[in-house]
Each structure stands twice: as C-alpha cells, then as structure tokens.
Amino acid sequence: MADVNTASAAFLATIPSPDQGVWHIGPVPIRAYALCIIAGIIVAIWLGERRWVNRGGTKGTVIDVAVFAVPFGLVGGRLYHVITDNQLYFGEGKNPINALKIWDGGLGIWGAIALGAVGALIACRRRGIPLPAMADALAPGIVIAQAIGRLGNYFNQELYGAHTDLPWGLEIYQRYNPTNPDDFLNGIAIGHVPLPDSPVHPTFLYELIWNLGVALLIIWADKKFRLGHGRVFALYVAGYTAGRFWIEMMRTDTANHILGLRVNVWTSILLFVAAVAYFVLAAKRGPREAPETLWSKDVPREEASPEPSEEHADVAAAPDTVRDSAADKATEDPKPEAEK
C-alpha cells in the first residue's frame, strides 16, 4: 500500500498532458496549436496598438501593419522550420507535401520575425512611419504571443526535454489514432499510458515563463529609459535568445547540428550578439522618436494625433515651437506684470 501511495503522490506532483490537441466539429478539425497562434496574434496586435497610440502614433496603424506582417511572418516561420528541419519532409520515405501542412505544427520564430519584418517594412513605408519605432511598439506583444504559442506545443505533446524526476515534470502519453496509427499528433490518449521517457522537462513551460519575464523587462525598461530607434526590439531579441539558448540545449526533439550544437543554439548566439551591438549603437541616435514622426502621412494631422497618455503628454501636447516658447517664458522674471 505504501508503494501505491508513493507512486500516486509522485504522479500528482507532475504536470499531465492534454489527452488530445485536435477536436472535430463534424468534418472540421479544431486544432489547439492553431488557436494558440491566433490568440497570440490578437494579443500582439492589441498591445502593440495601445503602445503605438501612447507614443503618439495614429490609431489603427498597427492593424494595417499586421495585414502585411502576419501573413509574411507565417510564411517565413514555416520556411525557416522546413529549411532547418528538412529531414522531416524530404528524403527516402518522406512526403514533401507535409511541408505545407502548417496546421500540424512547425514554425521557426526567426523566419517569422525576418519575413514578418519585410511585410512590416512595406506597410510602414506606405504609411510614412519609421519601422524601428513600430518594432519597439510591437516587441512586448510579440514575445507574449510566443509565450501563448508555446501552449500549442503543450497540446501537441511536442518539443519537450529529457526525463526528469523533478516535481514539475511533464507526463507524456501514448496517443492512438485508429484511422492512421502513425499519426500521433491527431490521436487521443486512452488510459494515460506513459511514453518511456515520461515524465520529462516541460521545456515549453520554461520558455513560456521566460518569455513573459522578457515582456515585463522590456516594458519596464522602455518606460523608465524611454528607449527608441529599435532599442526595445533589440532588448527583446537579446532577452529571448539568452533564454532560448539554454532551453534549446534541454530539448530532445530531432534537430540538425553544427559543430555539435543544434542549429537554433547557434542562431540564438549570433542574434544575441547582434542585438546587444545594435542596442549599444542605436543609443547614439539620440532620444526616442518625436510623436509627430509617427503620424501616418495619409491621415490628417488633427485625426492622426490622439490624446496622449500621461507618459507622453509632456512631449506630445504641443508642437516644438510652442514647447520652446513655454520653456523660454519660464526662465523670464516670474513677477506679475503689475510689479515690473
């Protein structure tokens, strides 16, 4: 009885996996991975819009940018995944058509960021606004979206680490798909039969928590130091890659290696160095972009200048000439006219 109780207590101390990641409404599959990606995009747009308007930018600009950036990013994320994990789709016994099945999972964040930036650049040029400022507004939302997206990996029961006896180990179960025995992704766990390595390190959870921490860090740093010219985005890249480096080293899923390290580990190292260098060099560009530079060229100024937040009211409330005039007046003799 003692052994049974001990085993039961150990089981309760672990994190159970969902029984399935795909549900069907008639013939239509509802995939948790896709829902998490969509939820992340919505949060990123919502938060980015708030931050953009608070900086003095035109309302609705972030949504316009997202129309270009999101589809570009999804294509870029899939391309990066297929290129860096090409052995999953090409070669003997593989079906290249599976490379197009984005709904089965597999998005590389750096491909999404790279090609998404191309889409954002197109939109920013059409609007006549600086891309670095837009990137700064979007950065916290992007990393929060990544955290939400990791929940999709949890439902897909993928991208976990090695076996662990820690209390927060993740239980992973054998899933069964009667229509296709080799398709575990669309299967259902029956009887909670654990896989041989279970429980494992929940690397999806490690990255989720790390990403939320990065979001808090860059929001705080931006508010305190009034960062601009892409420095918030650079801080996001540096913070995210610092965590991705050690988390990637814990993962046990199939990946290509260069000099003994996973490709994404090398990517994290290179991008961390590049982000830190940009963060330092961009400081020479001076203070944060003025609110008037964020107004869309195709919107009248009276419509483009929203009510500034308290954080930006001292900067955005009046044109430069008015602010300078007020500053000069403040330095004059403070006596009332009757005493002069």
Side-chain angles (χ1 to χ4, degrees), residues 255-274:
N256 291 324
H257 290 70
I258 298 177
L259 299 178
L261 293 178
R262 296 164 66 100
V263 169
N264 281 328
V265 172
W266 285 111
T267 303
S268 296
I269 294 172
L270 295 175
L271 288 175
F272 176 84
V273 173

Side-chain angles (χ1 to χ4, degrees), residues 281-325:
L281 294 175
K284 298 179 181 179
R285 300 186 64 182
R288 172 188 288 179
E289 297 89 342
E292 54 265 28
T293 66
L294 310 184
W295 297 336
S296 297
K297 66 180 181 180
D298 55 347
V299 178
R301 175 171 291 194
E302 58 271 17
E303 296 180 20
S305 179
E307 192 69 25
S309 65
E310 292 183 4
E311 179 186 354
H312 300 84
D314 58 330
V315 180
D320 291 343
T321 54
V322 175
R323 292 199 301 271
D324 293 342
S325 175

Side-chain angles (χ1 to χ4, degrees), residues 127-249:
R127 283 278 195 158
I129 55 177
L131 177 62
M134 176 58 67
D136 283 344
L138 293 175
I142 291 174
V143 75
I144 292 174
Q146 289 176 244
I148 296 173
R150 283 306 178 202
L151 288 174
N153 301 134
Y154 171 56
F155 278 94
N156 278 1
Q157 207 170 240
E158 61 186 358
L159 308 187
Y160 45 78
H163 173 78
T164 179
D165 292 322
L166 294 172
W168 54 83
L170 174 68
E171 293 286 349
I172 48 176
Y173 309 124
Q174 178 70 49
R175 288 181 174 179
Y176 303 92
N177 184 352
T179 60
N180 185 356
D182 295 326
D183 184 11
F184 304 116
L185 183 64
N186 294 297
I188 300 175
I190 300 175
H192 293 166
V193 179
L195 292 176
D197 290 336
S198 185
V200 296
H201 279 287
T203 51
F204 84 91
L205 181 60
Y206 298 163
E207 187 170 327
L208 187 158
I209 295 172
W210 183 273
N211 288 351
L212 293 178
V214 170
L216 291 175
L217 169 66
I218 60 180
I219 290 173
W220 169 82
D222 188 30
K223 184 175 181 179
K224 182 171 182 63
F225 301 108
R226 298 181 60 80
L227 302 174
H229 305 288
R231 299 182 77 207
V232 180
F233 192 83
L235 189 59
Y236 144 64
V237 173
Y240 172 72
T241 52
R244 183 63 184 268
F245 173 83
W246 63 268
I247 295 171
E248 187 74 21
M249 297 281 283

